[in-house]
Amino acid sequence: MRLTDAGTVKRIMEENGAVFKKKFGQNFLTSENVLARIAENADEGVLEIGPGIGSLTDFLCEKAKKVVSVEIDSSLIPILEKTMADRDNFRLVEGDALKIDLEKLVADEFPGMSVSVCANLPYYITTPVLTRLLSCGVPFTNLTVMVQKEVASRLCAAPGSPEYGAISVFCGYYGKARKILKVPAGCFVPAPKVDSAVVRIDLFREPPVPGDPEDIFRVVRAAFGQRRKTLSNALSSGLPGVTRQEIADVLSACGVDPSARGETLSLTQFAEIAEKLKG
Ligand code: SAM
């Protein structure tokens, strides 16, 4: 069922005695153009996080062979069963995207299929959900997600830009992110306070740099932990057990200026520093 105007969405919620829940980040997308643009990124199989009452789900079902949607709000389940009743390539899973076993879900539901994630993400858990989707070990082809405009800029940021931070490096380890669409607040019901953007992250088949990602991210977290400090000071206070001299030696061996700031370093430089710190 097409849910592309605010009036229809509000009426369906009302008729079913449901209310928009802020605590679950429920801002439903009603722009037909934006819904279609997100669905263009669907692969053979699509995992959707948070279907709401099915606005995006319906478009995804038109493009993909199979769509599996995970929804936390039990009051929306009976509504989705109605709005999606005529789609036989749709499966609904009631659960929490932060807790569900994603590897098992994908293996069980999409055998032999290439799978993407398409979602209008609930804003209150954007970072933990994305972190999970990127690092869970499932070889998704792409993650195409609606996020707050500022988060979109951070995901796509290059070293040296003001938006560049730990999440940019983390995302860059797993894939190549690009903004594909700006989305004004008025495209949602209820309208959120901020504008949004759709980001597509194409996941790498192989890591772009060598080394244990945990070691790399430990250095990244330390470097960005105290943004005003020089890299050498930030690493000294953020990496317990590593001496100032060791840090100075490693930065010098990597050709990195100790008075530089973390936000100027590339993923490759972080990986080199992590590798040398291991000894
Ligand atoms: N996809 C719909 C749309 O575009 O209109 C709804 C998007 S709305 C921004 C986010 C959806 O995610 C809501 O349906 C909300 O209940 C659901 N949600 C929130 N937290 C969740 C979680 N931890 N696991 C699964 N779904 C969640």
Side-chain angles (χ1 to χ4, degrees):
M1 178 181 181
R2 282 292 194 249
L3 296 163
T4 48
D5 72 280
T8 307
V9 170
K10 282 186 197 156
R11 179 178 54 76
I12 292 178
M13 291 291 278
E14 250 172 56
E15 281 174 2
N16 288 276
V19 288
F20 297 99
K21 296 196 179 84
K22 232 181 171 169
K23 69 167 180 172
F24 287 144
Q26 291 179 354
N27 302 98
F28 297 166
L29 188 54
T30 55
S31 158
E32 182 160 1
N33 173 47
V34 177
L35 290 163
R37 291 283 303 276
I38 298 175
E40 277 170 13
N41 301 277
D43 213 319
E44 238 181 321
V46 175
L47 174 66
E48 184 192 19
I49 308 297
I53 63 168
S55 315
L56 176 60
T57 325
D58 190 56
F59 280 79
L60 295 173
C61 283
E62 214 164 75
K63 288 274 172 190
K65 201 162 152 188
K66 182 171 182 184
V67 177
V68 175
S69 305
V70 180
E71 175 56 60
I72 199 170
D73 184 355
S74 54
S75 74
L76 300 181
I77 304 296
I79 307 181
L80 278 160
E81 280 162 357
K82 285 185 237 170
T83 57
M84 298 302 298
D86 55 354
R87 295 289 188 187
D88 55 13
N89 58 343
F90 168 63
R91 185 160 127 60
L92 179 57
V93 175
E94 186 179 343
D96 183 341
L98 290 177
K99 295 193 179 139
I100 205 159
D101 183 341
L102 292 171
E103 270 189 290
K104 183 172 176 347
L105 182 72
V106 171
D108 289 350
E109 297 290 344
F110 302 107
M113 284 188 220
S114 53
V115 184
S116 61
V117 172
C118 293
N120 171 15
L121 287 179
Y123 292 162
Y124 77 109
I125 48 163
T126 305
T127 305
V129 169
L130 271 180
T131 305
R132 224 174 159 229
L133 290 168
L134 287 168
S135 61
C136 68
V138 176
F140 294 116
T141 51
N142 75 77
L143 313 180
T144 299
V145 288
M146 174 88 71
V147 295
Q148 287 187 358
K149 197 176 68 180
E150 289 71 19
V151 177
S153 300
R154 294 218 297 274
L155 289 171
C156 303
S161 64
E163 296 87 7
Y164 188 65
I167 187 76
S168 326
V169 187
F170 186 83
C171 181
Y173 179 83
Y174 290 101
K176 174 82 190 132
R178 67 192 155 94
K179 236 182 269 184
I180 55 177
L181 193 62
K182 288 184 196 160
V183 184
C187 290
F188 301 85
V189 58
K193 290 202 174 70
V194 291
D195 291 336
S196 302
V198 179
V199 173
R200 172 173 164 140
I201 307 169
D202 286 286
L203 271 72
F204 298 135
R205 296 289 123 221
E206 298 292 334
V209 291
D212 181 340
E214 269 322 303
D215 292 334
I216 300 171
F217 300 144
R218 204 165 58 95
V219 175
V220 170
R221 278 192 297 270
F224 286 101
Q226 288 148 313
R227 286 181 83 104
R228 294 217 182 107
K229 287 193 175 177
T230 62
L231 186 61
S232 145
N233 284 341
L235 293 183
S236 295
S237 47
L239 295 173
V242 185
T243 66
R244 280 196 156 272
Q245 190 55 53
E246 282 167 333
I247 289 166
D249 292 345
V250 163
L251 292 181
S252 155
C254 295
V256 173
D257 177 356
S259 66
R261 312 264 158 186
E263 50 266 45
T264 61
L265 261 58
S266 67
L267 170 63
T268 306
Q269 288 174 305
F270 280 119
E272 268 174 34
I273 294 170
E275 198 55 31
K276 291 216 162 44
L277 277 174
K278 268 182 95 177

